[in-house]
Amino acid sequence: MTPETVAPAWMHAQISAEQYDSWSEEQCAGIEIVDGMVVVSPSASKRPNRPARILANALDSAAGEDWNADTDFDVRLQDVPLTNRRPDVVVYRAETLDLTPTRPEHVLLVAEVVSPGSETTDRVVKVDQYARAGIPFYWRIEQAATGVPLVYTYVLDLASKTYRDGEVFTGVIKAAAPFSVTVDLGTV
């Protein structure tokens, strides 16, 4: 094994919130922290990135002044052991834009676009973590065999800290030039 292929030492040790907060944006890109351990996410392809970006734009347009929708930033689910997740889409309180880290109490909805290699994590692991953290809504977007996206929605049951099934939508998320976004989804 060459020195270039050996993972850095910090990938083999538990990371504290203080250590993670001292890292640069470049060091944090493409990773999540689960129970204090670094989880390297494979570089997302354009296929899941595009619907996530389009969905975030549509949600941001619909959210009004009180909420923002974005992609590609951390949600700090817990400090000890550190768990930071990087959902594909996050809807969060606009007034918390400059607060770091973004905490579950700032978040209304997280959405994950399922891609090859993320099925179990997006369908099971993250659902449980987001629910335990108290995030009110979780959406999972999957590509149907027909090529049409399916959006599975979940609503948090506060008493049990688990999600209950919501509606399933199917349809097309599309953008029209310049800068107008339409989300056309019908109930399955």
Side-chain angles (χ1 to χ4, degrees), residues 51 54-55 140-153 167-175 182-188:
I54 292 170
L55 179 61
R140 189 182 78 237
I141 297 96
E142 297 194 22
Q143 195 78 12
T146 60
V148 176
L150 293 171
V151 180
Y152 298 88
T153 66
E167 295 184 71
V168 177
F169 297 94
T170 185
V172 178
I173 302 169
K174 55 187 172 182
T182 302
V183 178
D184 177 16
L185 298 172
T187 304
V188 170

Side-chain angles (χ1 to χ4, degrees), residues 46-105:
K46 292 177 186 173
R47 188 160 308 278
N49 282 349
R50 182 163 170 69
R53 185 175 35 81
I54 292 170
L55 179 61
N57 289 342
L59 290 169
D60 197 53
S61 294
E65 295 178 10
D66 295 334
W67 298 95
N68 292 336
D70 277 312
T71 61
D72 198 33
F73 70 93
D74 291 337
V75 175
R76 173 86 39 99
L77 299 180
Q78 64 185 33
D79 288 311
V80 179
L82 178 62
T83 298
N84 275 3
R85 283 296 190 178
R86 193 172 282 247
D88 292 317
V89 178
V90 179
V91 177
Y92 60 96
R93 294 185 186 285
E95 72 218 24
T96 65
L97 178 65
D98 295 322
L99 292 180
T100 302
T102 299
R103 302 250 180 213
E105 58 268 20

Side-chain angles (χ1 to χ4, degrees), residues 86-88 110-114 122 126 130 138-141:
R86 193 172 282 247
D88 292 317
V110 291
E112 296 286 356
V113 179
V114 177
D122 292 341
K126 288 183 178 181
Y130 294 145
Y138 176 69
W139 290 3
R140 189 182 78 237
I141 297 96

Side-chain angles (χ1 to χ4, degrees), residues 1-12:
M1 216 181 251
T2 66
E4 296 83 37
T5 60
V6 175
W10 55 264
M11 290 184 74
H12 301 288

